[in-house]
Amino acid sequence: MNSMPNADAGRYAFFGRNASVLLDIIRFAAAFAVAATHLPVFVIGPRLLPPQSGNAAVCVFFVLSGFVIRFVTVSRVCTAREYWIDRGSRIYSVVVPALLLTIFFEGAAQLFHPAAFHHFAEPYQWSFVPGQLASNLTFTTGYWGYGATPLSNGPFWSLTFECVYYVLYGLLRYTRRLRWFLVPLILLMVGPSIALLFPVWLLGVLLYDVYNRLHARRAGIAISGVLCFLAVAAAAIFRHPIVHFLTITDVTQRRIAAAHLAASLPLGRHLFHEASVPWLDRLSISFYFTGTVLAFVLLFLLLSLDRYVPNMPRPAAARIRTVADSTFTLYLLHAPFFVLVFTLLGHPAPSWLLGGIIFAAAIVLSVVLAIQFDALKNWMRSVLRRRFVPTTARQSV
């Protein structure tokens, strides 16, 4: 593997303060939407957001992730070792504490009020937990549709997708000949459910490259504005056919695949008699529609904010960043936190007022914990860089 620093880093656009704030707001809003789609399980009352909001929010994460990773690796001097250290410390500084807290929260809930716990969370055997932890710590759960999220913490499913995409991008950027062998091999190994959503993540990579090109052009905003208008208009005009198409494919895609495999493969009828194929479990065509519209809208907003809107005051931007830095923590901890609090309460919240208060408590807890996890991340990076990166090559990623 080659460690290739980016000698042309100075040619790439850096975000203005407003653009950075916009990205912060969007990523926190996505975590907020995921948590909000899970809260109705614990509250008596109508849903505030449609169930599809959770999937749309994960799609937002994928696009933003590709966008930011591309920005980091092309706009700063970043070697292969620094890239792997940066991604590893970022992920594990949150994932390890989140897994431990998931076990603590759900274990305490089951201990203090077993009946209420089984009302809010699916029963499980503690003997399965070590295997769940191992597969989620190695990000191998979900390969070909097999594996389990840790306890009742469903949002963990997307981490395998994210980490596979980090590895694929790292190989594509920092290796030469081996990438043409390793990338297809990994895509085959993880299965079609993960592989078929990789282009959505790559859409974020492409978005940064287009943003960088248009940022330096006078007509950049006009071009992005036209693209944004066309994308939004097409989504509005064809909304009902698109929704109908997504509904049909969401319901039938696995059944169609299972029926085809049952008819064409030896022993297929025995293997797929329940008309389902686990390796299509997380495939969602809706990600392509959501990601495309998001990319065009975000491109226009970023370019417009950079050029026409006065910079937000630094103190306000810093406060937004503090809250937004809790995004990852909120995403991974809201589910077990809800299970613990509502189990101790003994019943669902009778109104959205109490549900909103507990939701706000989850956000506050996430902000506080995120500060500690960030310190852990910095410590991990420091240790790993001293061990693996030469002093002359160290850069802040």
Side-chain angles (χ1 to χ4, degrees), residues 18-19 22 211 214-215 220-226 228 296-311:
N18 288 340
L22 175 64
Y211 164 80
L214 294 182
H215 188 272
I221 294 180
I223 294 172
S224 66
V226 171
C228 177
F296 285 126
V297 172
L298 186 57
L299 177 65
F300 175 68
L301 291 177
L302 288 172
L303 292 171
S304 299
L305 287 173
D306 283 344
R307 186 169 301 181
Y308 294 119
V309 180
N311 275 331

Side-chain angles (χ1 to χ4, degrees), residues 40 67 124 131 140 205 226 247 252 286 311 316 362:
F67 184 85
Y124 54 83
T140 54
V205 175
V226 171
T247 302
T252 63
S286 64
N311 275 331

Side-chain angles (χ1 to χ4, degrees), residues 324-349:
D325 282 346
S326 69
T327 296
F328 195 15
T329 305
L330 176 63
Y331 180 75
L332 292 185
L333 278 183
H334 70 271
F337 178 77
F338 289 161
V339 169
L340 173 63
V341 173
F342 286 100
T343 296
L344 295 180
L345 188 64
H347 54 77

